[in-house]
Amino acid sequence: MDLPFDLGPGTAAALALALLGAAFVRGYSGFGFSAIFIAFAALLTNPLPLIPVIFACEITMTAFQARAIRPHVDWPRALTLLAGAAVALPVSLTVMMSIGVDNARLAISAIVGVMALLLLSGWTLKQRIATRGNLAVGVVAGLANGAGVGGLPVAASMAAQPIPTNVFRATMIVFLTGIDIMSFPILWRGGLVSGETFVGLLLAFPILWVGVMLGSRQFLAASPSTFRRFAVMLLLALSAMGLMRAILRV
């Protein structure tokens, strides 16, 4: 069978390894999958046709994890965040066109990086953000999704609050799945979804399953302090990746 997107065997093998690593991180932390894989893919090929595949992968991985995370999802928070994102998503592409994807990614990554450094210093919010705050974070995430970093503002916000690790992880998974589902029709109308998208998902399926299962098993063995430290370090790493990617293109 021919590989989709005109990928060569070497490139496909490297992307498969990156997919496995990103799926492991998603299984463990609940976020970071898309940012990690797309950043790596951009080093080897044009990542644009792969974005719908990655969104479909996110949805598929949630199906793998659904039974385990269901009791821990903070549904009011997740739905409020998604409501805010839904308001912003239709205008996010317009915003990106006016200020530029790289400028948007630069600003968002810088803000998330500063917050991650604050969290590493031990700073946290003493109380959870209320409904209006979550709605505002969702709007920011919806706008940021036009630059491919919609999950970062939400993850940074939740990492700063006194939220149990299993609730953090489960709610992030639901939010990212919801925003991907809402974004998929936009990609479809933009002509980015094709038969190759589904071939790519089919090829990715077993890799996703292995990565998510290994990451989920590691999460069950992790202490809350270990998980929080990993989440903050992941935010810092993703912020640095976003900054470098934007700076190199400016």
Side-chain angles (χ1 to χ4, degrees):
M1 182 176 65
D2 293 335
L3 293 171
F5 310 115
D6 296 322
L7 296 175
T11 301
L15 291 177
L17 288 174
L19 191 71
L20 180 63
F24 176 88
V25 171
R26 159 63 187 264
Y28 180 80
S29 68
F31 71 100
F33 172 81
S34 297
I36 291 172
F37 183 81
I38 292 299
F40 182 84
L43 300 175
L44 304 177
T45 185
N46 175 17
L48 193 61
L50 298 176
I51 292 176
V53 180
I54 295 309
F55 282 8
C57 286
E58 290 266 21
I59 297 167
T60 300
M61 287 186 291
T62 300
F64 294 156
Q65 298 174 286
R67 180 179 295 181
I69 69 170
R70 189 180 297 118
H72 308 296
V73 178
D74 184 342
W75 287 106
R77 180 186 300 273
L79 294 175
T80 302
L81 288 166
L82 286 171
V87 171
L89 273 175
V91 300
S92 64
L93 292 179
T94 303
V95 172
M96 292 308 108
M97 289 173 62
S98 63
I99 68 174
V101 172
D102 292 324
N103 289 332
R105 185 179 290 116
L106 191 65
I108 295 162
S109 296
I111 293 169
V112 171
V114 170
M115 180 169 283
L117 289 173
L118 283 172
L119 291 171
L120 280 178
S121 72
W123 174 84
T124 56
L125 296 172
K126 293 183 179 180
Q127 296 181 339
R128 297 188 185 189
I129 294 175
T131 300
R132 289 183 181 179
N134 286 317
L135 191 65
V137 171
V139 170
V140 173
L143 292 172
N145 210 48
V149 289
L152 294 189
V154 175
S157 168
M158 291 183 64
Q161 300 173 63
I163 298 174
T165 57
N166 55 357
V167 175
F168 176 109
R169 175 173 172 266
T171 305
M172 278 301 308
I173 289 171
V174 168
F175 171 77
L176 289 171
T177 303
I179 202 170
D180 286 343
I181 291 172
M182 288 189 290
S183 299
F184 212 83
I186 298 174
L187 297 175
W188 188 293
R189 288 197 301 271
L192 290 177
V193 179
S194 66
E196 288 185 301
T197 301
F198 300 100
V199 173
L201 176 61
L202 183 64
L203 292 173
F205 190 91
I207 301 172
L208 297 174
W209 187 85
V210 172
V212 167
M213 291 303 106
L214 291 175
S216 297
R217 185 175 301 176
Q218 187 66 31
F219 170 77
L220 293 175
S223 66
S225 60
T226 299
F227 175 86
R228 185 178 184 279
R229 186 164 54 251
F230 179 88
V232 174
M233 292 302 295
L234 179 58
L235 279 170
L236 193 58
L238 294 176
S239 169
M241 287 165 53
L243 286 170
M244 290 301 298
R245 188 176 170 194
I247 290 171
L248 290 176
R249 292 189 178 185
V250 171

